[in-house]
Amino acid sequence: MSENTNFLINIRKRFGNFTLDIDCKLQEKVTTILGASGSGKTTLLNCISGTLSPDEGRIVFGNQTYFDSESKINVPPDKRHLGYIFQEGYLFPHLTVEKNIRYGQSRLQRKNRNSISQVVEILEISQLLERYPNQLSGGQRQRVAIARALAMEPQLLLMDEPLASLDGGLKSRIIPYLHHIKNNFEIPIIYVTHAIIEAMALADEAFLLDDGKITASGEPNQILASPSALPIAHLTGVENIYSLPVASSDQQRGITELEIGKQHLVIPYIDVEIGKSVPVAIRAEDIIISLEPNLPISARNILEGIVDEVEDQTMLSILVEGHSFLVKITHEARQQLEISKGKNVYCVIKANAINLLWQDS
Amino acid sequence: MRITSAEVAALLLSIKVSLFSLVVMLPPGLLVGWLLAKREFRGKSILNTFVMLPLVLPPVVSGYLLLLLLGKNGPIGRLLSNVFNIEVIFTPFAVVIAISVISFPLLVQGIMTGMSSVPSELENAARTLGASPLKVFFTITFPLAYRGVIGGIILGFSKSLGEFGATIMVAGNIPGKTQTVALAIFEAVHLGQDISAFRLVLISTVLAFISIWITERITISKNRIY
């Protein structure tokens, strides 16, 4: 967001036992709100878009007040001029792709044939304009939905898990389009997701939403380094997140080594300068516990550590060079290896099981 | 064996009053259908009950209640006769009122079903794209509820064509004035004119067949794409 457009959100909304209680100020171009399902993400976006009214509070974008319970202001959604991209797309089934895209345009824009050419080009949907939504694939549909929101030239873009309904391969194909939008349009974006990797791909600033409340905020890598990283990780199904400096990088061997104390963590090659910290995530299920360091296996990482805690029967916390690794094993494995607090063990991790969360462009 | 002028008059009257009733009742039908399908408000179930009542009441009872309201001593009848000098009872206008009341629930039900099937998320999406509630209704809700609306229209129209009980109560059975096809059939059977009755039965059946066939054609061709 430019220097003088702050977005102030201070609202409360109750649904039975659930209360959304938000007080935040968004200042960056792309703000990501990260939270598990049921944390209130969509409710928050609906309050911002005006399709839902908060019980009380204020929503102020720049010098426009969208909602103010005290002075009884509640601007209807059609007057807020916000582009809203929904998880399921919600294209109008009885209109062609072109008519869908032009739906939000003013009369003047609609007369101008070229008024959608930029979004059509960036999202690569010029071949689809005559089709109907049910003749599109999932990825195409979501691109059209994004185009439709952009074509109305909104002053703010709301994205509600736009990739959630797509499978893995399609997701990675849409992400570049989102980068294009971030770089080509001067529109601030609020991006809501439960997927940490998606969240960090675009964000300038991130907020963590947990049970209707914001529990952490900051730059994405700050959030990852803060004590609130652990709850984020649990929320989003990735238990281990570390920010580690690059020790060496070898494009020919296809690997990059990160420093973790005196040991090294090998990950697939990334183009990052040496000494710079990168955030990585490892799922607790992807770590194997071994009692021996010298194993004839393909996994690139065999890290020495000490069992710090046996959280419950199947979740271990292993201390490796001061970093705690959460590892999920079976009850039987734990008994056979006689794992107990203080025991020396080795964490075996495939390089490809280590996900890069986010990378400076 | 040629069709008699009385039969033609009954047939034309039936079609005229049914079309007139449809044109008059469609706007309120759309409004009430939309309210019941899409809005939450106090008294919604009362409105619903009130609209649907003629569907479960015997038509003769509805007709009798209308007679009480519209008759010379009824509150509405007295008003019309004192202020506008209009007598409603036993006129073609009474036929229109009777069939409108009886067919309205069917019209509303079709519209309601059609509109309920339009996801409110699509309507909300349209709102965020700058559409006023009225634009959302005409560009999203109505086109997507098309099938239901047509279904309600055809059901209501067919009901109007064949309405008997309420009509005879408020409009009587005056040949050439208030005698619709249904009433003419009743009279023909009553007088033992079996051939005349049979002709009218045949005509009603063909009319019903055509109206359903037209609906099918319209809904299929219009909705092929989605």
Side-chain angles (χ1 to χ4, degrees):
Chain A
M1 277 174 218
S2 62
E3 307 84 52
N4 49 5
T5 40
N6 286 325
F7 197 9
L8 228 125
I9 304 167
N10 179 357
I11 50 167
R12 265 134 327 271
K13 174 82 186 170
R14 264 171 296 277
F15 281 118
N17 295 334
F18 176 80
T19 305
L20 182 73
D21 188 347
I22 301 290
D23 186 0
C24 65
K25 193 172 169 191
L26 315 185
Q27 289 167 297
E28 299 296 332
K29 187 165 178 192
V30 178
T31 306
T32 290
I33 295 167
L34 184 64
S37 62
S39 59
K41 301 185 302 280
T42 300
T43 304
L44 173 59
L45 283 195
N46 285 343
C47 285
I48 295 173
S49 75
T51 49
L52 196 68
S53 296
D55 297 331
E56 54 174 343
R58 265 153 49 88
I59 301 174
V60 182
F61 179 61
N63 53 9
Q64 304 163 63
T65 301
Y66 287 152
F67 180 86
D68 188 345
S69 54
E70 250 173 58
S71 47
K72 299 229 175 353
I73 294 173
N74 190 4
V75 178
D78 45 310
K79 300 278 187 293
R80 295 194 183 189
H81 223 73
L82 309 178
Y84 197 159
I85 296 161
F86 304 88
Q87 188 175 338
E88 290 84 4
Y90 295 135
L91 296 180
F92 306 130
H94 58 307
L95 302 178
T96 61
V97 166
E98 177 165 4
K99 284 190 175 149
N100 262 284
I101 294 174
R102 289 195 181 277
Y103 189 88
Q105 290 196 311
S106 66
R107 215 164 284 160
L108 205 71
Q109 286 174 312
R110 238 173 288 162
K111 276 190 193 147
N112 177 1
R113 281 177 154 250
N114 296 324
S115 64
I116 58 168
S117 57
Q118 194 194 2
V119 291
V120 166
E121 190 187 316
I122 285 180
L123 291 156
E124 299 181 86
I125 49 178
S126 59
Q127 305 300 314
L128 311 175
L129 292 178
E130 302 302 317
R131 295 204 200 160
Y132 283 86
N134 74 345
Q135 299 168 312
L136 304 176
S137 68
Q140 290 171 334
R141 224 171 287 165
Q142 211 48 296
R143 265 146 62 199
V144 173
I146 294 170
R148 182 176 68 176
L150 284 171
M152 70 182 284
E153 296 176 9
Q155 47 189 3
L156 179 71
L157 212 49
L158 306 174
M159 297 193 184
D160 185 7
E161 308 219 24
L163 308 182
S165 59
L166 307 175
D167 55 42
L170 277 174
K171 254 179 215 165
S172 53
R173 267 187 267 163
I174 300 278
I175 288 177
Y177 293 110
L178 299 179
H179 274 287
H180 271 296
I181 291 163
K182 181 181 176 183
N183 298 331
N184 287 300
F185 293 86
E186 281 304 312
I187 307 171
I189 299 172
I190 300 179
Y191 191 103
V192 150
T193 183
H194 72 273
I196 194 161
I197 292 168
E198 241 177 271
M200 297 308 152
L202 283 177
D204 298 314
E205 187 178 25
F207 288 83
L208 176 67
L209 189 63
D210 185 11
D211 193 28
K213 281 153 206 72
I214 286 174
T215 53
S217 68
E219 280 178 39
N221 56 345
Q222 266 178 5
I223 280 214
L224 292 178
S226 79
S228 31
L230 202 63
I232 298 183
H234 282 303
L235 275 173
T236 55
V238 181
E239 290 81 358
N240 301 299
I241 296 175
Y242 314 99
S243 192
L244 301 173
V246 174
S248 72
S249 210
D250 190 333
Q251 191 166 11
Q252 277 189 335
R253 285 166 64 209
I255 57 166
T256 294
E257 288 185 301
L258 307 179
E259 253 174 64
I260 179 160
K262 287 189 238 63
Q263 305 185 51
H264 280 166
L265 191 66
V266 176
I267 66 170
Y269 174 78
I270 51 166
D271 184 17
V272 175
E273 57 188 279
I274 290 171
K276 202 160 176 176
S277 282
V278 292
V280 290
I282 311 164
R283 302 179 72 94
E285 299 95 291
D286 288 342
I287 304 176
I288 295 167
I289 296 295
S290 164
L291 299 179
E292 297 269 335
N294 301 312
L295 300 167
I297 59 172
S298 69
R300 294 294 86 197
N301 296 293
I302 300 173
L303 302 174
E304 188 181 0
I306 295 170
V307 178
D308 184 37
E309 211 174 318
V310 181
E311 275 196 8
D312 54 48
Q313 293 300 316
T314 59
M315 191 64 95
L316 310 177
S317 172
I318 313 283
L319 212 57
V320 177
E321 307 279 346
H323 294 272
S324 139
F325 280 62
L326 285 178
V327 181
K328 194 156 178 74
I329 60 170
T330 59
H331 187 53
E332 192 186 60
R334 191 181 64 82
Q335 285 185 326
Q336 257 179 25
L337 300 181
E338 294 172 344
I339 285 169
S340 58
K341 191 175 157 126
K343 191 171 175 110
N344 247 3
V345 293
Y346 296 88
C347 295
V348 181
I349 313 163
K350 285 168 61 119
N352 280 310
I354 303 170
N355 289 303
L356 189 66
L357 284 182
W358 154 90
Q359 192 181 339
D360 271 332
S361 44
Chain B
M1 286 296 284
R2 291 204 45 198
I3 190 163
T4 67
S5 62
E7 287 164 22
V8 171
L11 185 64
L12 287 179
L13 180 71
S14 273
I15 292 174
K16 262 191 264 179
V17 291
S18 299
L19 280 177
F20 188 73
S21 156
L22 178 64
V23 170
V24 172
M25 297 315 275
L26 190 56
L30 285 170
L31 180 69
V32 172
W34 178 77
L35 282 174
L36 292 178
K38 291 291 177 186
R39 293 279 127 167
E40 291 307 323
F41 54 92
R42 275 166 139 247
K44 182 172 169 175
S45 51
I46 291 176
L47 176 67
N48 191 28
T49 309
F50 190 70
V51 168
M52 294 304 159
L53 203 58
L55 203 60
V56 282
L57 279 180
V60 176
V61 173
S62 302
Y64 182 65
L65 291 174
L66 280 176
L67 194 61
L68 290 181
L69 281 174
L70 299 169
K72 268 198 183 115
N73 299 317
I76 299 175
R78 199 176 324 152
L79 188 81
L80 288 173
S81 116
N82 288 350
V83 180
F84 303 103
N85 202 20
I86 299 173
E87 297 291 339
V88 177
I89 298 302
F90 303 127
T91 65
F93 194 58
V95 182
V96 173
I97 293 177
I99 63 175
S100 296
V101 168
I102 299 297
S103 61
F104 193 61
L106 291 169
L107 180 68
V108 168
Q109 232 171 23
I111 292 170
M112 215 168 95
T113 312
M115 291 193 178
S116 308
S117 72
V118 180
S120 55
E121 289 84 358
L122 286 182
E123 294 161 327
N124 280 338
R127 288 300 301 280
T128 66
L129 287 162
S132 65
L134 206 64
K135 185 181 171 187
V136 172
F137 179 83
F138 283 111
T139 58
I140 307 295
T141 315
F142 185 73
L144 288 175
Y146 190 83
R147 259 182 256 236
V149 173
I150 293 285
I153 286 175
I154 290 294
L155 267 181
F157 185 74
S158 309
K159 182 79 187 167
S160 298
L161 276 179
E163 211 293 316
F164 179 83
T167 311
I168 204 163
M169 290 300 280
V170 282
N173 189 358
I174 310 165
K177 193 179 175 197
T178 65
Q179 190 178 65
T180 59
V181 173
L183 299 182
I185 292 172
F186 172 74
E187 195 180 67
V189 172
H190 206 64
L191 299 175
Q193 299 165 343
D194 286 349
I195 294 172
S196 176
F198 183 71
R199 266 200 301 267
L200 288 167
V201 166
L202 198 68
I203 289 169
S204 323
T205 311
V206 169
L207 269 181
F209 185 89
I210 291 173
S211 59
I212 291 174
W213 183 73
I214 290 173
T215 344
E216 283 292 304
R217 297 290 306 173
I218 291 174
T219 45
I220 289 169
S221 66
K222 272 278 181 186
N223 292 291
R224 202 177 37 210
I225 313 134
Y226 60 93

